[in-house]
Amino acid sequence: MSETGTEQDRTTLPSTCTLQAPHAEIPQPNLVPVRPSSSRSAQSKGVSGSPANVTLFPFTCAAIAIALFSSLSIPLFNTQPIIVSFTTLLVKITEVPILPSQSAIGVADHRNIIEKALEWQESRLAIATVIETWRSAPCPVGTHMLIHEDGRFTGSVSGGCVEGDVLETAAAIIAGAPHELKRYGVADGMAWEVGLPCGGDIVVLIQRVDDTGFPATLFNAISDAQAAGRTLTISTDIEATTSTMGNGGFCNVYAPPRRLIIVGAVEIARTLADIARDTGFGVTVIDPRARFLTSERFPSATLDDRWPDEAIAALRPDDRTAIVTLSHDTKIDDPALIAALSAPTAYIAALGSRSSHAARLDRLKAHGFSDAQLARIEGPAGIVINAISAPEIALSIAAGMVRTFNHGLR
């Protein structure tokens, strides 16, 4: 599990979602993560059953003193066993149950899960869902992993750290075992066995895909909603481990996929379309030049041969849409940028040197755009990575796009 999260990160709950804690006693003796008392834990939020009245000050002072002697190399005694023992004691004292108190905010990419669920709908399946994260966690709350009865799977709940254990549990659940809420944390011996040494805690709910857990019809509902550009909320009663449409319990938000509109079917666009597709974007490539715009060059994208201003107006870009102009032809790029600036487009970028971008801004000012409006255009497109080749330039543009979309989410 990579260390991409930060200790203060915690998902904010939508006001429409209520929280339900699972039963206090969940039979997971080897899978009990620990939150340090300095973190914003369930203890500090007054969760029932947490040792909120335990005073840790004497132990904290002792730890500081021991660490100080150790760092100063004062040979009073061998401090290492004491520090280890004290750490174990502190872990036991501050141990609090991780209750599923988060709800998803729609940042997880569910596209592959939905596609496979529809493809495997005649088979027995299980679905694992991240319902709580703490500290370092590469998968946001709401992320799914879908498991087929023959052992195949798609998706991830931890970036590879605990998937083996989840697969074993899912196989038992598919065979008829009860649904399970599993907790993995770095403080546990079991966490090391399944490969979770990164410092993060996660809570994963594993359900059978049927009417007693996660009904298969929900996948169709999510797919239909996303195709229509609508957001759908699925709620799960953690105690009953059943999921249904609507709010209440643990809420998972299935937003329509983010969109990337590429203007100019050039070589950079080929790699950019692939990267965007792999990072969860629906990709449309616009170019009125038929020889450039072919399905052979862009097999995973929607192709549009209209003039950019007409095509973009029809696509109605919103705050989940990025528009990148790559053609180097002002007759193609400028109308696209005018259309992008006239909509609430989340990310706008234009390929070109600094001098060509300055000339571009002058042309757009002549169309009545202010400096503040023109500042929405990232030009030259992408972040600085010393890119040279077309694929490297595409990578830098994709990075700039993702940085903009994910700003403030981690």
Side-chain angles (χ1 to χ4, degrees):
M1 185 183 282
S2 63
E3 301 191 13
T4 56
T6 57
E7 191 160 325
Q8 68 269 28
D9 289 328
R10 185 146 187 167
T11 306
T12 302
L13 296 175
S15 59
T16 55
C17 294
T18 58
L19 302 178
Q20 292 178 305
H23 294 295
E25 295 297 329
I26 297 176
Q28 297 292 336
N30 294 322
L31 302 173
V32 182
V34 175
R35 292 181 183 163
S37 59
S38 60
S39 301
R40 291 187 301 162
S41 66
Q43 175 179 334
S44 64
K45 297 177 75 66
V47 173
S48 176
S50 61
N53 297 322
V54 174
T55 301
L56 300 177
F57 181 73
F59 298 101
T60 305
C61 292
I64 294 173
I66 293 171
L68 180 62
F69 279 120
S70 179
S71 63
L72 294 175
S73 301
I74 300 176
L76 298 179
F77 44 17
N78 184 0
T79 60
Q80 184 174 359
I82 297 177
I83 293 175
V84 171
S85 299
F86 174 78
T87 302
T88 303
L89 177 61
L90 188 60
V91 161
K92 293 298 182 183
I93 291 175
T94 61
E95 183 176 298
V96 296
I98 291 188
L99 301 179
S101 57
Q102 299 183 1
S103 284
I105 58 174
V107 298
D109 178 17
H110 302 111
R111 182 196 59 221
N112 290 335
I113 299 294
I114 304 305
E115 289 177 357
K116 282 298 181 183
L118 297 178
E119 179 184 334
W120 294 344
Q121 58 185 345
E122 299 301 323
S123 303
R124 296 186 302 165
L125 308 172
I127 187 167
T129 307
V130 178
I131 63 171
E132 173 96 1
T133 65
W134 199 262
R135 298 191 294 268
S136 302
C139 297
V141 171
T143 300
H144 287 310
M145 177 177 169
L146 186 69
I147 303 95
H148 192 281
E149 61 182 324
D150 65 9
R152 288 179 290 167
F153 69 95
T154 187
S156 174
V157 294
S158 73
C161 300
V162 302
E163 273 69 11
D165 186 71
V166 171
L167 286 171
E168 290 185 14
T169 305
I173 290 172
I174 290 173
H179 311 294
E180 278 201 58
L181 186 69
K182 306 209 74 169
R183 302 169 175 179
Y184 302 95
V186 72
D188 313 310
M190 180 63 176
W192 288 92
E193 291 177 22
V194 298
L196 187 63
C198 68
D201 300 333
I202 61 174
V203 180
V204 179
L205 175 65
I206 309 171
Q207 302 164 279
R208 214 168 19 258
V209 177
D210 62 16
D211 291 342
T212 69
F214 195 99
T217 54
L218 292 180
F219 293 118
N220 298 91
I222 296 167
S223 178
D224 292 344
Q226 293 190 342
R230 293 184 289 106
T231 297
L232 188 68
T233 299
I234 303 294
S235 64
T236 299
D237 183 327
I238 299 298
E239 292 188 7
T241 66
T242 54
S243 301
T244 186
M245 284 190 289
N247 295 308
F250 168 77
C251 298
N252 202 354
V253 178
Y254 300 83
R258 297 177 294 187
R259 297 185 295 164
L260 168 62
I261 300 173
I262 302 174
V263 179
V266 298
E267 192 63 20
I268 295 171
R270 294 181 62 191
T271 302
L272 180 57
D274 290 340
I275 296 174
R277 164 72 184 174
D278 288 343
T279 49
F281 286 80
V283 181
T284 298
V285 181
I286 300 172
D287 200 318
R289 302 169 296 183
R291 294 180 63 183
F292 287 76
L293 193 72
T294 66
S295 57
E296 182 180 2
R297 299 185 70 225
F298 298 95
S300 63
T302 300
L303 307 183
D304 194 324
D305 61 0
R306 291 176 291 183
W307 282 93
D309 51 348
E310 179 187 353
I312 291 174
L315 291 170
R316 302 177 63 180
D318 54 20
D319 60 1
R320 294 181 64 82
T321 307
I323 297 178
V324 178
T325 62
L326 303 175
S327 78
H328 279 302
D329 186 334
T330 58
K331 298 189 301 297
I332 295 175
D333 287 351
D334 285 7
L337 291 171
I338 291 171
L341 289 169
S342 301
T345 313
Y347 176 77
I348 307 171
L351 188 67
S353 65
R354 287 182 174 83
S355 59
S356 65
H357 184 61
R360 177 189 298 125
L361 295 180
D362 288 338
R363 294 194 303 272
L364 293 174
K365 281 182 182 179
H367 285 274
F369 291 103
S370 66
D371 288 338
Q373 290 172 311
L374 295 176
R376 294 172 59 197
I377 304 174
E378 185 169 88
I383 65 174
V384 178
I385 60 171
N386 297 327
I388 298 174
S389 66
E392 291 172 348
I393 295 170
L395 177 63
S396 74
I397 295 171
M401 180 174 65
V402 170
R403 177 183 60 184
T404 298
F405 273 102
N406 290 353
H407 179 71
L409 296 180
R410 292 200 71 95

